C-alpha cells in the first residue's frame, strides 16, 4: 500500500509538471488560431489554475461559441476542441457556455 501511494504521488507530480508546460502552449495556440476581426476574441483568452489544481482556459467574449461553430472562414468549426485534444484528454467538457 505504501509503494502504491508513493507511485501515485510521483505520477501526480509528473502530471502537474506536464500541465505546467502544456497549458501555456495550448492557450498560445488558441490565441493564434482564433479568428480575428477586432482582436477582442484573441485578447480574451485567460488561463487560471484553480485551488483544486485544475487549469481552466476561458474566453469571455459572447460570440466565442459562434466563432467555434464556424461563423468565420478564418478557422474551421470546433477549432477549440481540435486544438485542446492535441494536448491530451481534458477533464470534463472542453467547451462550456457560461451564462
Amino acid at each position: 500500500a505504501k509503494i502504491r501511494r508513493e507511485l501515485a504521488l510521483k505520477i501526480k507530480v509528473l502530471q502537474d509538471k506536464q500541465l505546467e508546460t502544456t497549458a501555456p502552449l495550448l492557450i498560445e495556440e488558441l490565441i493564434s488560431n482564433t479568428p480575428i476581426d477586432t482582436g477582442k476574441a484573441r485578447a480574451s483568452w485567460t488561463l487560471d489554475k484553480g485551488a483544486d489544481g485544475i487549469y481552466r482556459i476561458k474566453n469571455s467574449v459572447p460570440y466565442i461559441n459562434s466563432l467555434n461553430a464556424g461563423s468565420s472562414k478564418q478557422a474551421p468549426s470546433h477549432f477549440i476542441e481540435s486544438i485542446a485534444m492535441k494536448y491530451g484528454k481534458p477533464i470534463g467538457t472542453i467547451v462550456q457556455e457560461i451564462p
Side-chain angles (χ1 to χ4, degrees):
K2 180 180 176 185
I3 292 173
R4 190 174 289 159
R5 280 193 304 273
E6 289 174 1
L7 184 57
L9 181 59
K10 286 179 182 180
I11 289 171
K12 173 93 171 92
V13 168
L14 289 172
Q15 288 172 332
D16 289 348
K17 284 184 180 186
Q18 180 72 22
L19 280 172
E20 287 174 18
T21 302
T22 58
L25 296 174
L26 169 56
I27 198 164
E28 253 181 59
E29 191 168 346
L30 285 169
I31 291 168
S32 66
N33 284 281
T34 299
I36 188 167
D37 181 17
T38 65
K40 187 174 181 180
R42 280 192 178 183
S44 295
W45 288 106
T46 60
L47 172 63
D48 298 309
K49 183 178 180 182
D52 55 6
I54 295 175
Y55 285 88
R56 290 174 180 83
I57 297 173
K58 299 177 186 177
N59 191 307
S60 60
V61 296
Y63 52 88
I64 193 66
N65 286 331
S66 177
L67 290 175
N68 192 46
S71 68
S72 171
K73 293 180 181 177
Q74 296 178 27
S77 62
H78 305 290
F79 74 96
I80 295 172
E81 293 90 340
S82 296
I83 292 169
M85 292 303 291
K86 288 170 43 177
Y87 290 87
K89 185 178 178 190
I91 299 170
T93 306
I94 294 176
V95 177
Q96 179 179 5
E97 191 166 345
I98 300 172

